[in-house]
Amino acid sequence: MATQIDELIVRIKADTKQLETSLDRIKKKVPEALPAGPAARFAGTLKRIGPIAGAAAVGLGAIATLKVARVGAEFEDLRLSLKAVFGGAQSASLAFGRIQKFAQTSPFQIQDLTSAFVQLKASGIEPTEKMLTTFSDAAAVTVNSLDTFQAMIRVTQRSAGGGLGLVELEQLQERGLPVFDILSERLGRSRLELSELGKTAEGASEIMNELMAGIDERFGGTTADRMKTFNQSLSTLEDNFAILADAI
């Protein structure tokens, strides 16, 4: 346990260092961008934070303790869900380890990824890092990435037993993915023909395979680029704090 916590602390420090660098750049730019009055008020606010921080330390400690307890309880529920669909504690533990690892290279939180694992496995689909990366790349080019990611999960679930129709594909199209353009290019079929093809398990599988390949071709690597942004650094930091709280 000590080794795991030490490793997480090192990882969090690395994330924090990256955030501090970004914040330093922001603090240097803000006074330049603001007129003299607002810039002075901003600087004054920063100075006032120092004394307040010391007085708030006790309160923050209590909040941190509560946060640790809540994360521990939440992660326990996640493990129980994984145990139910993966058929045992050991398999669930391995799956949760994969989820935590994937979260380091994904813009989504551990809770969202665990839900994806549970949904896919419950539908008889083995979730893989490659599959989730493709979903993530697709989601990264849309406005609401989490909503698109979850829609990809639902459509994949539906395709598992056949019955993949225009309604499901249009869910992705409406979220900003050029689904019909990709499938027309790769399968040479109209919307009506896709609807007929998706009525069987074999046809639905063919549609999803070609859609995934088309997404990889057009948007592969989008997630990796997105993970370099300041906002995603915050997301990764939040995940690492959650893992640390769970370990504690």
Side-chain angles (χ1 to χ4, degrees):
M1 180 65 72
T3 301
Q4 181 184 7
I5 292 176
D6 289 343
E7 181 183 345
L8 288 170
I9 289 174
V10 170
R11 190 185 301 166
I12 288 171
K13 285 182 177 178
D15 291 336
T16 304
K17 184 176 181 181
Q18 181 179 351
L19 293 175
E20 286 176 348
T21 301
S22 298
L23 287 170
D24 284 341
R25 289 198 297 268
I26 291 172
K27 285 192 288 185
K28 290 177 181 177
K29 291 294 182 182
V30 169
E32 297 174 7
L34 293 175
R41 289 194 295 272
F42 178 79
T45 302
L46 289 178
K47 289 180 180 178
R48 289 194 297 274
I49 289 175
I52 294 172
V58 174
L60 289 175
I63 293 172
T65 301
L66 182 59
K67 173 69 173 177
V68 168
R70 285 179 174 172
V71 169
E74 185 175 4
F75 275 31
E76 184 178 11
D77 289 341
L78 296 178
R79 288 188 177 92
L80 288 174
S81 297
L82 289 170
K83 181 180 177 181
V85 296
F86 278 86
Q90 184 175 0
S91 297
S93 179
L94 291 173
F96 201 50
R98 289 168 55 202
I99 291 169
Q100 290 179 334
K101 182 179 179 181
F102 184 73
Q104 299 300 311
T105 58
S106 163
F108 304 110
Q109 299 296 303
I110 290 172
Q111 295 86 336
D112 301 321
L113 296 174
T114 302
S115 176
F117 262 61
V118 170
Q119 289 176 269
L120 291 169
K121 189 67 174 179
S123 300
I125 303 168
E126 185 63 33
T128 65
E129 285 75 8
K130 175 66 175 65
M131 177 189 297
L132 294 178
T133 297
T134 299
F135 293 167
S136 182
D137 285 340
V141 300
T142 63
V143 175
N144 190 332
S145 58
L146 178 57
D147 183 50
T148 303
F149 181 79
Q150 293 170 337
M152 289 290 298
I153 300 296
R154 291 194 299 271
V155 171
T156 302
Q157 282 182 283
R158 186 61 186 268
S159 72
L164 179 62
L166 295 182
V167 173
E168 290 75 29
L169 295 176
E170 284 173 351
Q171 289 181 24
L172 303 179
Q173 184 79 22
E174 290 169 358
R175 286 165 172 78
L177 285 176
V179 172
F180 293 110
D181 188 32
I182 291 174
L183 293 175
S184 175
E185 180 181 289
R186 298 189 67 86
L187 290 174
R189 295 175 184 258
S190 66
R191 293 193 181 202
L192 181 59
E193 290 171 328
L194 289 172
S195 178
E196 289 298 317
L197 181 63
K199 290 180 179 179
T200 66
E202 294 78 9
S205 177
E206 182 181 0
I207 290 174
M208 288 305 301
N209 287 339
E210 291 302 324
L211 178 59
M212 298 280 278
I215 289 172
D216 284 339
E217 183 178 325
R218 293 195 183 197
F219 309 124
T222 307
T223 297
D225 291 337
R226 183 172 178 176
M227 290 303 293
K228 299 174 185 176
T229 65
F230 180 73
N231 187 49
Q232 292 310 315
S233 295
L234 288 173
S235 176
T236 302
L237 182 62
E238 184 177 347
D239 270 334
N240 284 332
F241 272 123
I243 295 171
L244 178 60
D246 180 54
I248 293 172

